[in-house]
Amino acid sequence: METFFLKPFIKDHYLDQDLTNFKDGSWKYLIAITVLLTIVLTICLKVKTISHFITTCIFSTVFIFFVLRTVLISIMLYINTQTEKSQITNTYKVIRYKEMKIFWLNSDKKNSINDNDKIKLIDKRRKEKGQKSLFEYKMNDTIQVKLKKGVFNVNYIE
């Protein structure tokens, strides 16, 4: 499921910087899932001794953080796109050198975009909404990219 559906979906909706920020901060959600799994296992297995409870905690932690981490992060990112909380507009300056075939979107912040696939994704989304193509802009033109923010506070392109 993750390889065939979630990975392409995520690639088609998220910019690299937003993915990196979420993956770095996803530990808090994974801890919550681990606690929930521990509680469920404790109840289902009718754990009565402290040693069994510790074993259940260790099992839950290892299972979530080492076995299911990637899948859970992908599922959370999918859920994020289904639960819009707010919209964000980022402003970029077009950096373009036609003769060297260089094109990127520069921002004063850390979120400049120079990955060709992400630029093509933004351009595709703009065209779908009837907006001017990114590649029609000239050097130092300013453009705005509208992003949405979901329940996990991760920006995504719709």
Side-chain angles (χ1 to χ4, degrees):
M1 176 174 99
E2 187 208 8
T3 304
F4 296 110
F5 175 71
L6 291 175
K7 277 190 179 183
F9 180 85
I10 290 166
K11 185 179 179 189
D12 205 33
H13 286 81
Y14 289 96
L15 299 176
D16 294 336
Q17 187 63 40
D18 295 318
L19 283 176
T20 301
N21 290 343
F22 180 69
K23 287 178 181 176
D24 289 347
S26 65
W27 59 269
K28 57 189 167 206
Y29 303 113
L30 295 174
I31 287 174
I33 293 169
T34 302
V35 169
L36 185 64
L37 180 62
T38 302
I39 292 168
V40 168
L41 287 175
T42 302
I43 293 168
C44 290
L45 298 175
K46 298 177 183 171
V47 174
K48 294 183 178 156
T49 65
I50 197 76
S51 64
H52 285 128
F53 179 73
I54 291 171
T55 304
T56 303
C57 289
I58 292 170
F59 169 77
S60 297
T61 303
V62 168
F63 190 67
I64 296 296
F65 278 87
F66 296 104
V67 177
L68 288 181
R69 182 177 191 271
T70 305
V71 173
L72 289 173
I73 288 173
S74 296
I75 290 169
M76 287 186 280
L77 288 168
Y78 176 77
I79 291 169
N80 187 69
T81 63
Q82 306 304 306
T83 55
E84 177 188 341
K85 267 182 26 179
S86 61
Q87 290 190 354
I88 293 156
T89 302
N90 288 342
T91 303
Y92 297 94
K93 186 190 297 186
V94 173
I95 306 297
R96 179 181 196 148
Y97 299 103
K98 273 188 176 179
E99 54 281 346
M100 294 187 289
K101 296 184 180 178
I102 294 175
F103 186 95
W104 80 84
L105 301 175
N106 191 35
S107 173
D108 293 337
K109 304 172 191 169
K110 290 184 190 178
N111 60 352
S112 293
I113 304 169
N114 56 10
D115 179 82
N116 285 334
D117 291 335
K118 298 304 175 185
I119 289 173
K120 288 177 185 174
L121 172 63
I122 293 169
D123 188 54
K124 175 183 165 188
R125 296 289 196 249
R126 290 176 63 86
K127 288 178 184 176
E128 289 170 357
K129 294 177 183 174
Q131 296 176 326
K132 187 176 175 181
S133 171
L134 287 178
F135 302 109
E136 294 178 33
Y137 287 93
K138 295 178 177 53
M139 178 74 156
N140 292 323
D141 282 350
T142 301
I143 66 153
Q144 293 185 332
V145 176
K146 294 184 192 287
L147 302 168
K148 294 185 177 184
K149 187 175 287 232
V151 71
F152 292 109
N153 290 322
V154 185
N155 299 336
Y156 65 95
I157 301 170
E158 187 169 60

